[in-house]
Amino acid sequence: MDPAQKILLISPSLEEAERDLGRSFLPEEIRLVTDPVGALVQAATVDLRGVFVSGSQVKVALDVQRLAREHSVLDILPIGVLLVDREYKIVWTNRQFRNWCGNDSRMGEDDDPVIGTSFYRTFGMPQITGPVYCPFHTVFETGKPIQTGLRSLKNEYYQMDVTPIPNPRGPIQHLIVILRDVSELTIAEQRFETLLKVGAELPDLTPDQLQEITIDERVDILTANIIRNTMEVLNFNVAEIRLLSLESGALEPLIAIGMDDEATSRRLYARSEGNGITGYVGACGKSYLCEDTLDDPLYLEGLAGARSSLTVPLLYHEEVIGTFNVESREPRAFTEKDLRFLEIFARDVAAAIHTLDLLTAEKAGSTAASVEAIHSAVALPIDQILNDAVYVLARQPDLDKDLLERLHNIQTKARGIKSVIQKVGEKMTPAQAHPFPPTEKHPLLRGSTVLVVDADESVRIAANEMLSRYGCSVESAPHGEQAILMIQNTHYDAIISDIRLSDYNGFQFLLKLRDVMDVSPVPLILMTGFGYDPGHVVVNARKEGVDTFLYKPFRLDQLILNTEKVIERNRRKDR
């Protein structure tokens, strides 16, 4: 008989076992256990020549049999299951854990290098990512199960659940450890968080920097940031971004990474047929995952030998302003998760493009930028002069004739300053820059007067700047009462108001305008933050005939469209 072999005694005590067997044992001959897990551990780690079960421990023996049967089930699970002792050494493990450790030996083999080794050393000294940073020690001390995270040196992520095995006769001796590979989910979450940060930082310019660089330099910086993040964050090495021309419907190339020159120069339009996947996405505003280009009739080659592609729309306020396309030479290279991440990034790209006003096909030169800057700088101070003059006229109706005439002259000259700046800009700007778009494209705006009512200076400046490019005279007021005084003093073809003023909401302002204006319907355009409508102002305003709304931050084309709509409707009624 091999002296290394042992007898396993499943008994509450050595005395009971010896009494039942009618013989005595030397300490080196036996392994005494009192519970199923202990028996399982000994069976897995010790070479046994026999097992004895005391009469009082028959249930324990049945539990051991049950556990032994379950081992075969644990070996086929995609999770790691193991037992560790108080020294954090592995006393048993299933096959998945062995595979992760690079060892596929079966339980109970004598040459098994996993059994008896330190968990942390065997698992490659992983980093504990929390929230519990001493999981084994914590469970041994508290007796309560915990959950924490691990990260391997290969940047693999695991969720670890540690549960104590109760020991009614003393301190806890063993822990059950369950490991789940959560690398895919964790990396996806990290990429999502990175995308959120990247999206917020895409323009990557401070106000001071924006004043110091040209429009083309802004485009270059944004382009470089988009390219870098497309490659480093999304891991796409072949990509193309096109912007939609609102006038022609063409999808004009803005950025190309790794694409063939012929494909980049290809003329594409936002149409569902004859313009490839890019044209289809531009037309319908829906993402498109092409798993195999050989089987997809819509696909037009962008990368030589490409076998799969992923195309998403650039959406701003749910309107298509362009497309974002990536390609690969591998079939089925992109997943639904890649599609979702690209959609998130594309929305941030669209917002950044809009922020830098890249939607216009032509870029203004330095002279145009200077004229616009001057116009923006003086617009609000001039409006304040007008506000003050109107206030005095409204509050002091008995002023002498000379003073009244002077106040009216102040109003006239203040309004003239804006007109002079506009005309000077049109004369000074080089023809190739076109900072002031041709007014024949929007003749309704030329000579029209618009009042903008909003507490936010940036909104008043933006509307002033955008509409004045087309020869429109724009004035502003910070709150409703001031706007009412202006309206009583001056005719306005359109009034653009925030739905949340300091003294009125949009619906209340509409009712007030009805009392002071001799037109129906009131030429009112209501502005709101996207999805924000306190007190159901928009709903109530619609019931009263207002059908024109803007969502902040507004786009130039939407501002023009809505303003023209109101002006045209009221001029038609006057005919």
Side-chain angles (χ1 to χ4, degrees), residues 62-137:
L62 294 175
D63 288 341
V64 172
Q65 288 181 323
R66 177 178 56 80
L67 288 173
R69 287 195 303 270
E70 290 174 353
H71 290 164
S72 59
V73 176
L74 294 177
D75 267 343
I76 64 174
L77 292 178
I79 60 175
V81 184
L82 57 151
L83 298 177
V84 298
D85 61 18
R86 293 192 69 88
E87 296 179 352
Y88 310 162
K89 291 182 179 179
I90 299 170
V91 295
W92 177 86
T93 181
N94 73 338
R95 183 171 297 177
Q96 180 62 75
F97 181 79
R98 297 163 186 269
N99 291 340
W100 287 339
C101 296
N103 179 273
D104 193 24
S105 58
R106 295 178 181 275
M107 183 183 70
E109 293 184 354
D110 294 337
D111 59 351
D112 185 357
V114 174
I115 302 302
T117 62
S118 164
F119 166 80
Y120 292 111
R121 186 173 299 278
T122 303
F123 207 45
M125 302 303 290
Q127 176 188 352
I128 301 175
T129 58
V132 180
Y133 293 94
C134 299
F136 296 159
H137 174 79

Side-chain angles (χ1 to χ4, degrees), residues 217-250:
E217 287 172 331
R218 298 182 200 180
V219 176
D220 291 341
I221 290 174
L222 177 58
T223 300
N225 288 344
I226 292 173
I227 292 173
R228 184 182 71 251
N229 290 305
T230 298
M231 301 179 71
E232 295 180 3
V233 178
L234 294 173
N235 298 318
F236 298 147
N237 297 315
V238 180
E240 179 186 58
I241 295 178
R242 288 175 178 255
L243 295 184
L244 175 62
S245 168
L246 297 176
E247 296 179 359
S248 66

Side-chain angles (χ1 to χ4, degrees), residues 313-575:
L314 294 179
L315 295 174
Y316 189 77
H317 286 329
E318 305 309 316
E319 292 194 14
V320 178
I321 65 169
T323 57
F324 198 142
N325 173 56
V326 297
E327 304 199 5
S328 171
R329 289 192 171 92
E330 298 295 325
R332 297 173 180 81
F334 307 110
T335 66
E336 289 291 335
K337 287 185 178 179
D338 291 322
L339 184 146
R340 298 294 171 241
F341 284 129
L342 188 59
E343 286 178 335
I344 294 169
F345 187 56
R347 284 183 177 272
D348 291 326
V349 169
I353 288 174
H354 176 76
T355 299
L356 294 186
D357 201 22
L358 301 182
L359 294 180
T360 51
E362 298 167 323
K363 308 300 185 295
S366 58
T367 303
S370 298
V371 172
E372 261 191 17
I374 294 170
H375 194 284
S376 297
V378 302
L380 293 192
I382 290 175
D383 286 345
Q384 185 60 56
I385 293 172
L386 291 172
N387 294 166
D388 291 344
V390 168
Y391 181 85
V392 172
L393 288 170
R395 293 292 185 268
Q396 301 290 335
D398 299 327
L399 291 175
D400 63 63
K401 182 178 179 181
D402 181 63
L403 194 53
L404 281 173
E405 185 176 344
R406 287 177 180 273
L407 281 173
H408 286 303
N409 284 338
I410 290 174
Q411 289 180 289
T412 302
K413 292 184 181 299
R415 289 182 172 119
I417 293 174
K418 290 185 180 181
S419 177
V420 169
I421 294 174
Q422 180 75 21
K423 292 177 180 178
V424 169
E426 291 175 356
K427 291 180 179 179
M428 291 178 59
T429 305
Q432 64 271 23
H434 295 300
F436 301 98
T439 54
E440 61 268 17
K441 290 184 179 180
H442 301 285
L444 285 174
L445 297 180
R446 187 74 173 180
S448 296
T449 56
V450 175
L451 179 65
V452 180
V453 191
D454 198 302
D456 189 340
E457 283 191 1
S458 64
V459 173
R460 304 202 304 272
I461 290 175
N464 221 312
E465 184 178 292
M466 291 179 181
L467 290 175
S468 62
R469 298 177 190 176
Y470 295 90
C472 187
S473 176
V474 184
E475 296 176 4
S476 65
H479 51 78
E481 279 301 328
Q482 183 63 61
I484 295 299
L485 293 177
M486 299 283 286
I487 292 165
Q488 290 174 325
N489 185 260
T490 305
H491 167 77
Y492 294 101
D493 297 293
I495 301 164
I496 304 172
S497 173
D498 187 29
I499 66 170
R500 188 177 61 167
L501 302 173
S502 61
D503 46 3
Y504 298 111
N505 66 33
F507 183 66
Q508 293 167 337
F509 187 57
L510 167 64
L511 299 181
K512 189 70 174 177
L513 291 179
R514 282 183 171 178
D515 292 338
V516 300
M517 298 185 72
D518 188 24
V519 293
S520 180
V522 174
L524 178 63
I525 302 169
L526 288 176
M527 292 186 294
T528 178
F530 191 71
Y532 178 71
D533 185 11
H536 304 291
V537 170
V538 172
V539 174
N540 292 331
R542 284 186 188 278
K543 292 179 181 178
E544 295 298 323
V546 176
D547 61 357
T548 315
F549 302 91
L550 278 173
Y551 295 100
K552 296 188 291 185
F554 43 74
R555 284 172 41 179
L556 173 61
D557 60 310
Q558 290 299 316
L559 177 64
I560 290 173
L561 177 67
N562 284 283
T563 305
E564 285 184 317
K565 178 181 177 181
V566 169
I567 293 173
E568 170 64 20
R569 181 172 58 202
N570 285 284
R571 288 187 180 178
R572 204 166 45 236
K573 293 177 74 69
D574 293 338
R575 292 190 187 120

Side-chain angles (χ1 to χ4, degrees), residues 187-197 233 341 344:
I187 292 172
E189 290 175 347
Q190 291 175 345
R191 185 184 286 187
F192 178 73
E193 291 176 0
T194 302
L195 281 176
L196 291 181
K197 181 179 179 182
V233 178
F341 284 129
I344 294 169

